[in-house]
Amino acid sequence: MKESLATKRAKERGYFDRGPEWFCEFKYSPVNGIGYEQNINRRDPSAVIMHEGLYYTWYTRNEGPSYGFGSGDLDKKTFPWDLSEIWYATSTDGVNWTEKGIAVGRGEAGSFDDRSVFTPEILAHDGKFYLVYQTVQHPYLRRSLEFIAMAVAESPEGPWRKVKEPLIKPSNDGEWLGEEDNRFLVKKKGSFDSHKVHDPVLFYFNNKFYLYYKGEPMGEEMFMGGRETKWGLAISEHPEGPYVKSEYNPVSNSGHETFLWQYNGGMAGLLSTDGMEKHTIQYAKDGINFEIMSVVKNSPEAPGPFRGPESKTDPVDGLKWGLYHHVYNDWNYIARYDINTELRDFFLNRKTYE
Ligand code: AAL
């Protein structure tokens, strides 16, 4: 008997040791109040938290169409996340939401967040609320750097106090080629996050604050059909920083919007959309060294799961339901996902009964 390369590879990587425990499927449904609306973009919802009997979520919001970078008018909106503010909504059932208004607005002209604040995530810790989000400064060009910033409040209703400086910045250690505003032309690419730090998500993990984010390099390429986006990690003793980027960065070779949850003392994440390991759920006991646990399909875009208590027995409990965004007719809107574990449970039980 001979062994094919595929069999050898699967054995080497331990694929045959992993059962169905980490598998789930996704179902999608509309929500009211922050769902589809012409002329309004609502996107990149945060995790959903429960506070005093109410669910809360934060998201990017702006009005009007986007024109791309080529419009010739630097004041015109480029992307559906440009010229945005961070808004929030509450709900009693996770389906019917009431939009409450702005949580965090743009900064004064000339500040690092004067153009757009967007893609928020929330951490409730020790009676305080921490919003982490992306920022961009005017003018928004293809080669603009983007930062990650924070605002802090005593209540999910605010008022929000901005932390003065960005929490993390792109490493900016590449070198552009020429003067044209083209992010693909480089002399040197630099680190995985030389150009952009995006999609922050904050955890209190092993007595420290773990800030995961997505990095994009200057001169991004495509490998195996996936964009060159990877996840990084920055760690701090205190919620407001200083955050130090991990020596192990990047901690993934794939993934787009960060989607992580705590499970049984470790960190789990679903890497969707980009990279050679897209559509996998991965797990790192130490929050750094992730291994592939399952391959999923049809995963939600830019999701924010409901943050319930950490499970010790069900790996996919931490992403049971949540919000994500969808694009329809050019408008971005928020909808709800729920996981479906019927197929997994069938295989789990079959094993037990046989
Ligand atoms: C999303 C996220 C970030 C990007 C943009 C808005 O998918 O990765 O938030 O900047 O697209």
Side-chain angles (χ1 to χ4, degrees), residues 262-266 283 285 309-315 317:
Q262 285 168 270
Y263 167 65
N264 198 22
Y283 184 61
K285 196 78 196 175
E310 178 177 337
S311 173
K312 299 235 171 292
T313 50
D314 183 353
D317 187 66

Side-chain angles (χ1 to χ4, degrees), residues 7 11 24 36 52 54 57 59 121 125 153 163 188 191-192 195 205 239 258 269 274 277 279 317 319 323 331 334 352:
T7 305
K11 281 188 177 169
C24 66
Y36 179 72
E52 294 177 355
L54 266 189
T57 188
Y59 49 91
E121 257 304 339
H125 175 73
V163 174
K188 193 176 111 193
S191 310
F192 82 104
H195 191 199
F205 182 70
T258 49
D274 286 306
E277 293 179 0
H279 306 310
D317 187 66
L319 79 168
L323 301 173
W331 299 107
I334 293 174
T352 318

Side-chain angles (χ1 to χ4, degrees), residues 15 27-28 52 56 111 120 132 140 165 210 226 230 242 247 252 259 261 319 330 334 345 351:
Y15 293 168
K27 299 181 286 191
Y28 297 108
E52 294 177 355
Y56 284 80
S111 58
V132 285
Y140 196 3
E165 294 294 320
Y210 274 51
K230 300 174 183 176
E247 293 177 319
S252 81
F259 185 23
W261 63 98
L319 79 168
D330 282 345
I334 293 174
D345 297 342
K351 223 191 240 168

Side-chain angles (χ1 to χ4, degrees), residues 21-24 26 47 201-205 212 231 257-271 280-284 287 290 293-294 296 300 303-311 314-321 337 339:
E21 291 82 358
W22 289 80
F23 178 71
C24 66
F26 295 92
V201 57
L202 186 62
F203 292 91
Y204 183 62
F205 182 70
Y212 293 88
W231 291 355
E257 297 97 353
T258 49
F259 185 23
L260 295 114
W261 63 98
Q262 285 168 270
Y263 167 65
N264 198 22
M267 194 62 75
L270 194 165
L271 291 83
T280 62
I281 293 183
Q282 306 199 4
Y283 184 61
F290 285 91
M293 305 306 286
S294 68
V296 293
F306 170 63
R307 297 273 186 230
E310 178 177 337
S311 173
D314 183 353
V316 296
D317 187 66
L319 79 168
K320 207 184 272 170
W321 72 273
Y337 79 83
I339 63 166

Side-chain angles (χ1 to χ4, degrees), residues 134-333:
Q134 290 181 214
T135 68
V136 66
Q137 182 166 8
H138 181 81
Y140 196 3
L141 305 170
R142 291 183 185 89
R143 286 186 172 179
S144 290
L145 300 180
E146 282 165 45
F147 298 155
I148 288 173
M150 177 184 265
V152 188
E154 310 280 324
S155 151
E157 309 273 338
W160 294 91
R161 168 182 59 82
K162 287 183 181 176
V163 174
K164 285 213 172 61
E165 294 294 320
L167 295 194
I168 51 172
K169 296 181 176 178
S171 57
N172 203 8
D173 54 358
E175 204 183 328
W176 296 118
L177 175 66
E179 295 303 312
E180 186 197 334
D181 184 34
N182 182 330
R183 72 183 182 91
F184 299 107
L185 297 181
V186 284
K187 283 193 195 139
K188 193 176 111 193
K189 287 174 71 176
S191 310
F192 82 104
D193 61 353
S194 55
H195 191 199
K196 308 274 186 185
V197 289
H198 282 167
D199 297 281
V201 57
L202 186 62
F203 292 91
Y204 183 62
F205 182 70
N206 289 344
N207 303 318
K208 294 194 173 142
F209 294 87
Y210 274 51
L211 180 72
Y212 293 88
Y213 63 96
K214 178 192 86 189
E216 288 181 14
M218 299 156 81
E220 183 192 332
E221 295 177 87
M222 180 179 264
F223 295 108
M224 293 172 75
R227 282 186 54 193
E228 195 180 357
T229 56
K230 300 174 183 176
W231 291 355
L233 167 65
I235 301 175
S236 174
E237 302 282 336
H238 307 285
E240 296 185 28
Y243 282 86
V244 178
K245 290 183 184 176
S246 168
E247 293 177 319
Y248 291 92
N249 277 355
V251 296
S252 81
N253 54 34
S254 301
H256 200 90
E257 297 97 353
T258 49
F259 185 23
L260 295 114
W261 63 98
Q262 285 168 270
Y263 167 65
N264 198 22
M267 194 62 75
L270 194 165
L271 291 83
S272 60
T273 321
D274 286 306
M276 54 288 262
E277 293 179 0
K278 64 183 156 199
H279 306 310
T280 62
I281 293 183
Q282 306 199 4
Y283 184 61
K285 196 78 196 175
D286 62 1
I288 292 172
N289 292 291
F290 285 91
E291 279 188 87
I292 298 178
M293 305 306 286
S294 68
V295 181
V296 293
K297 56 186 181 187
N298 190 26
S299 45
E301 191 167 326
F306 170 63
R307 297 273 186 230
E310 178 177 337
S311 173
K312 299 235 171 292
T313 50
D314 183 353
V316 296
D317 187 66
L319 79 168
K320 207 184 272 170
W321 72 273
L323 301 173
Y324 72 103
H325 74 222
H326 205 79
V327 181
Y328 176 70
N329 242 348
D330 282 345
W331 299 107
N332 299 206
Y333 69 96

Side-chain angles (χ1 to χ4, degrees), residues 34 54 56 59 87-90 97-103 157:
I34 51 175
L54 266 189
Y56 284 80
Y59 49 91
W87 285 52
Y88 74 111
T90 60
W97 292 86
T98 306
E99 185 160 76
K100 303 279 286 195
I102 295 189
E157 309 273 338

